[in-house]
Amino acid sequence: MNGEDPCSTQLIDGDGEFHVDGVERFIKEIRLADCGLSYAVVSIMGPQSSGKSTLLNHLFKTNFREMDAFRGRSQTTKGIWIAKGIGIEPCTVVMDLEGTDGRERGEDDTTFEKQSALFALAISDIVLINMWCHDIGREQAANKPLLKTVFQVMMRLFSPRKTTLLFVIRDKTKTPMEYLEPVLREDIQKIWDSVSKPPAHKDTPLSEFFNVEVTALPSFEEKEEQFKEQVSQLRQRFFNSIAPGGLAGDRRGVIPASGFSFSAQQIWKVIRENKDLDLPAHKVMVATVRCEEIANEKLSQLTSDEKWLELDAAVQAGPVPGFGKKLSSILDFYLSDYDSEAVFFDESVRNAKRKQLETRAVNYVHSAFQTLLGHLRSRALEKFKNDLDKSLKAEKKGFASSVRSCTEAAMLDFDTNVKDAVVKLADWDTKRVREKLKRDIDTYAGEVRSARLTELKRSYEERLKQALSEPVESILEAGTDNTWPSVRNLYRIETERVVSSFSNDLSGFELDDSTRDSMIASLREVSRDIVYKKAKEEASKVLIHMKERFATVFSHDKDSMPRVWTGREDIRAITKEARTAALKLLAMLAAVRLEDKTDKIERILRSSLLDVGSSSMTRRIEGTADPLASSTWDEVSPEDVLIAPVQCKAYWRQFNTETEYAVTQAISAQEAHKRNNSKLPPLWAVIVMIALGFNEFMAIITFILRSPFYLFGIFVVFFLSYAVALQYNLAGYFHHGMLSGIMTLSTRFLPMVMNILQGVVNQGQQQYQNYPQHPQPNLPSLTTAQSFRQHNESRRHTGSSSVVVEPISSTSSVSSNSGIDDTSPTSRYQAGEEVTS
């Protein structure tokens, strides 16, 4: 049905059951909930078959079921029916109650009669009391039990509102109203006085509870037109009935239209349970329920609101600018809706439920706010990281200063964004998130600081390593008397220089004194460890260094020239000197000496290892123990020991074993040199040669003397061979033995001959080219060998100790083809050098 359909709906059936579904449909169809407080409730009660439904149908254009006069008088309306008055403003709800004094319920069954009367008084603004004109003034009239019932049930309403009782006198006679109304009011007052009242209302006048109005209508059956005309006039009184001075009267306890169904249901429930009806409490109860329903409805609408869903989805993806304003707008919209719908309910209840709605709505959207805070915290943390990275790369500030400025900027950015995100209705605490952001920033700054301090320390350790490692190694390898003073000096200078620079760099971190001192001490320890490590490395190679030192001293003279064992050297003294140098190196590498302290390591080693005979004799005489039979050195800290005394003894034994061969080789070289340099064979060999070869020698002499030509040839061959031997240093090939010399000459004989012939040819050509215009007399020319011989003979006569060999003018190709090494003594002769005889 639409809003103007006059169809009625049963509110309560004859058995007292409340039809909730029917009422809900009725309220929804007539849109009663939209009326707020602008509605009125009119009910009618009276004897059965007194024309109540007929009156309502003509008065409000309703369609309540009417009695069929042709079927006789009987009960027409059962229970309570409800309909909307048509064409009346404000919206008027009309209730048609079951008639009293009906024979269907009997004389003693007045329970429903009283319950329906109390229900009508509780929810109605205007109660029409339908009564016959001829009952006025009669003691046993039908209307008196009805009025007594109304006044009795009225006492069960605590603080009832003032209801208008409109007495409608039906089938008015010719008696004027000015006579009928006083009599009726007098009867009403008598009935009111006769009703027992609570002590609180014992002297309360009737006017405190009711506005009594009286009107009269002619008979509908006899004077229908006149009846309709006067009903039409009465209808006008229901227009604007709730306005001040209107027919409705007092409306202090009116229930908002949206709570009408629930209110009516609860009132009927209390009445059916035969309990006293506390209307003020009922009003609060209805307001509580209805405001709760409205609040739930608005919260449900909020959860499905498109704007909210879009905002929530956007927050899940990242920060949303203007989040607070957008969310506040959405919440304000639904809270305003709540206010508009709950405005007519009890103020205290309405405000309490609104507060609950605010709390529930704020709690519902709080998760989105928390998500947003998470994004803002992450963004602020990321901003801090980026700003700190840029600041540190710029190197304009110290680390601590950069952290402070970047932290302030990040926290300010977070606070600004949070201020933009806060909802004005919510008192959300952001301190925990802010504190977590601060902790995250401090944690990250601590990690960066630790990383940078570690990197800084590592870089300075690398600088120390570069400054100390190779120089210390070089100094230790040199192994001079000033080795450890040089190492100490280098160690102190480089350590102080690096530590000073490190301390300046640490100042930017603003560390506490204990941490700063600890890091500096750690760096000094690293410097010390580098020296110790390098010293240990060199100590592990002490045997190699000793052998190298021995070889250097033993194989080279004081001018660092290689020794040639000619037989004049004192190998014993040289060996002792070389071993002494090796022992000094062993003593130097036996312990670390970074402190300015003296020790007896070298003296102990010298007395125990070099002076073996005297020291062992002394120990046997004095009965003392071997000083090297220990794992520590006197006056040396155990941590400074690199080579223990017992290890030194073992190293020295191995060193002597491995260098013994070099000494033996030197002695052998001396003896071989002596043998190679002796010009004559042994005397016994000479005597044997003379005894055995005398006859052959005399025969050769006799043969030569017989022919002078042979004698001259022998001299020529001798001098030529001597010149060749000098030029090519043939004696040098026999230094390593006769067999080795013969094999070497056999491979070079032919190149030598070719070289000599080529030299003779080139010499002749050169002389011819130099003197073409001055022909020389035919003098007998000397061979190259003869010229060399003459030159050398002249040198001998002048007492020169060396022989100068004229360089051979040969081409580079001949020189290369001769197979003679450019670095050989022969090549030096060709270069014009002098060779010591």
Side-chain angles (χ1 to χ4, degrees), residues 709-732:
F709 177 77
Y710 289 111
L711 181 60
F712 176 76
I714 289 173
F715 277 107
V716 170
V717 171
F718 172 75
F719 284 114
L720 183 61
S721 300
Y722 184 70
V724 171
L726 288 177
Q727 181 178 357
Y728 290 100
N729 192 25
L730 297 181

Side-chain angles (χ1 to χ4, degrees), residues 727 788 791 804-808 829-830:
Q727 181 178 357
F788 292 163
H791 177 72
V804 177
V805 180
E806 186 69 23
I808 298 175
Y829 279 112
Q830 293 173 352

Side-chain angles (χ1 to χ4, degrees), residues 779-817:
L779 296 177
S781 62
L782 297 176
T783 64
T784 305
Q786 290 174 334
S787 64
F788 292 163
R789 184 174 67 250
Q790 293 175 356
H791 177 72
N792 290 330
E793 287 295 334
S794 65
R795 299 278 294 183
R796 290 193 189 95
H797 291 304
T798 59
S800 176
S801 61
S802 62
V803 179
V804 177
V805 180
E806 186 69 23
I808 298 175
S809 299
S810 59
T811 62
S812 59
S813 61
V814 174
S815 176
S816 62
N817 291 332

Side-chain angles (χ1 to χ4, degrees), residues 378-388 406 409-410 413:
S378 299
R379 188 168 75 173
L381 181 60
E382 192 65 26
K383 173 179 172 58
F384 171 78
K385 293 179 179 180
N386 294 334
D387 291 349
L388 181 61
C406 293
D413 179 72

Side-chain angles (χ1 to χ4, degrees), residues 203-265:
D203 299 327
T204 303
L206 177 65
S207 58
E208 289 291 328
F209 288 91
F210 299 103
N211 288 324
V212 178
E213 298 287 340
V214 180
T215 186
L217 295 175
S219 173
F220 172 72
E221 295 179 353
E222 298 177 357
K223 303 177 180 178
E224 182 175 353
E225 293 300 326
Q226 188 178 357
F227 174 83
K228 292 180 178 180
E229 181 181 354
Q230 292 186 13
V231 167
S232 177
Q233 294 175 2
L234 178 61
R235 175 183 170 87
Q236 298 302 317
R237 298 186 63 184
F238 287 91
F239 283 88
N240 299 318
S241 58
I242 62 174
L247 188 60
D250 183 17
R251 288 177 55 82
R252 288 174 298 175
V254 66
I255 301 296
S258 60
F260 175 79
S261 174
F262 178 77
S263 175
Q265 183 181 352

Side-chain angles (χ1 to χ4, degrees), residues 181-192:
E181 184 173 350
V183 175
L184 178 59
R185 288 183 179 275
E186 184 179 353
D187 291 342
I188 293 172
Q189 186 63 44
K190 288 181 180 180
I191 296 172
W192 172 255

Side-chain angles (χ1 to χ4, degrees), residues 9-41:
T9 300
Q10 190 172 39
L11 182 64
I12 301 172
D13 61 18
D15 296 328
E17 294 297 328
F18 195 95
H19 291 185
V20 179
D21 295 338
V23 175
E24 292 291 341
R25 284 195 303 272
F26 170 77
I27 292 175
K28 184 177 180 180
E29 289 166 357
I30 69 172
R31 302 177 67 179
L32 180 62
D34 297 338
C35 297
L37 295 178
S38 297
Y39 76 101
V41 179

